[in-house]
Amino acid sequence: MSDDGRLGLVGAASIALGGMIGGGVFAVLGVVAQIAGAAAWLSFSGACLVSAAAAYSYLRLNELSDRRGGSVTQIQAFTGNGAVAGVVGWTLLFGYLGAIAMYAFAFGSFAVELLGTTHSLARPVASVVGIGLFVGLNVLGTRASGISETALVAVKLLVLLVFGLWGFYYGNRTGSLDFGLGRLTSVGPYYALAVSFVSFQGWQLLMYDQEAIANPREILPKAIYLSITVTVVVDGLIAIVVTSLAPTEVILQNPETALAVAAEPFMGQVGFTLVSAAAIFSTGSAVNGTLFSAAYFTKGMIGDGLFPDAVGRAGTDGVPTRTVVVLGTVAAGFAAVGSLQGITSFGSLAFMAVFGAMSYLAFRERDGYVSTVVPAVGVVGTSILFPVLLYHLATNEPGTFTTVVLAAVAVVSLELLYFERETIRDGFHAVEERIES
C-alpha cells in the first residue's frame, strides 16, 4: 500500500489472485479433473497461456489509448462503435454473473461439507445465503481493502502450499503421483482446458481499478503477470496432488469438494476441515470482490447509455444499491438452479468471446509496440476453444448444452432488444400510423 492509500504491486496482485485462486482450485478443479483426470494440471496451463495472451492484449491497448479501462472503454476508443462496445459489455457482465454463481456454488458446497448436512436443498440455500451476505456488505460499502485482501490471499496461499507440497511429498513417497502425460492423446484434457478458462479471468478486474493503483503504468502489468504466474503454479501443483490422491469415484461424485477430500489421506480430518474453511473464505472473498467490480462496471455502462438506467443510477457515489441487488439476485438464481458444469461452461464461453475480441483488436492495432504473435495466440486460442467447449457439451452433457445455449440466446436477445429499441419503436410507430390512415 502506497503512502496515499493506493495499491502497490502486492496489493494489486492480491486482488487479481483472490478471484483466480477462488475460481481455480476451489471452484473449477473438480470439474476439470472429472474430464481430464491426472492431466488436469496441463489443462489449467493451456488455459493460462491463452488468458495471458489476452492480458497482454488488454495492457497494450490500454497503453495505446488515451483512455484507461477495460473491454468497453478500449472498443469504444479504437472502433468508435458504441453498439459493439455495448454488446461486448453485456457479454462480459453476464460472464461476471456466471463467475459469481460459480464461486457461490463452491462456497455452498464446502459449507455443506463442513456442516455435515446431506439435505438436497442445503447447497442451493447456502449459495444463495452467501451471495445475500456479500450483497449486504457491498450495499453497506464494505469491501476488502488492499491490506485485508493481501492478508486473506496470503493465508489462502499458505494453506494451499502446505497442502500441495505436503501432498506432493506424500504422493511421491507412496508412489501414487500421476502426471497424466499418457492422457494427452485423448480429447479429455482439451475439453477440460476450455472448461477451466473462466478461472483465469480474475486479473481483468484490475483493468477497472486503475485509479486505485499507485503508478498503474508500471505496477498494473507486473501485478497481472505475477498473479497469472502464481495462479497457474498453484493450480498445477494442487491439481497433481488432488488427481493423484483423491479416489476417481470421489472426484466423479463430489467434484466441488474433491480438494478437501484429497487432504484426508495425509492430513486427516484436520486437513479436511482446514481446506474446507480456506475454500469458504476464498470463494466468499471472490464473490465479494467480483460483485463489487461488476457493480462498478455496470454503473459505468449505465453512465455511457449502454445499459438500462432502471438497474441503477450512474450519478450516485460509490456502488449503486439497486445495481448490487439486481446483479446479486441474478447470480443467486444461477447458483441455486444451475449445475457447476453449466455455470462454469457459460462463464468460460462468455470470457472466451470477450478475450478473443480484445485479442483481435490488439492484433488489428499491431505496430512496433504491439507484438503480432501474442495477440494471435489469444485470437486462435479462443477461436478453437469456443467450439471445442460447445462440442464437448453437446456430446457429453446434452442437458448442460441446452441450458447454456438457451442462456446465450436469452442474453443475445436482450442485447439486441436494448440496442435496437429505437429502431423497433420506430417500426411500431410506422405500423400504427399506417393502421390509423
Side-chain angles (χ1 to χ4, degrees), residues 23-24 27-36 40 43-44 46-48 98-99 102 187-201 255 339-352 381 384-394 396-397 400 404:
V28 182
L29 174 59
V31 175
V32 174
Q34 275 185 319
I35 303 170
S43 298
F44 279 124
C48 172
M102 177 184 71
V187 295
Y190 306 100
Y191 290 152
L193 193 161
V195 171
S196 69
F197 196 83
V198 67
S199 64
F200 287 98
Q201 54 79 28
S339 67
L340 186 57
Q341 174 81 277
I343 293 169
T344 55
S345 298
F346 179 81
S348 288
L349 289 169
F351 286 112
M352 282 180 207
I384 293 174
L385 293 178
F386 196 95
V388 163
L389 180 51
L390 286 177
Y391 179 78
H392 164 68
L393 293 176
N396 296 280
E397 300 281 346
T400 301
V404 169

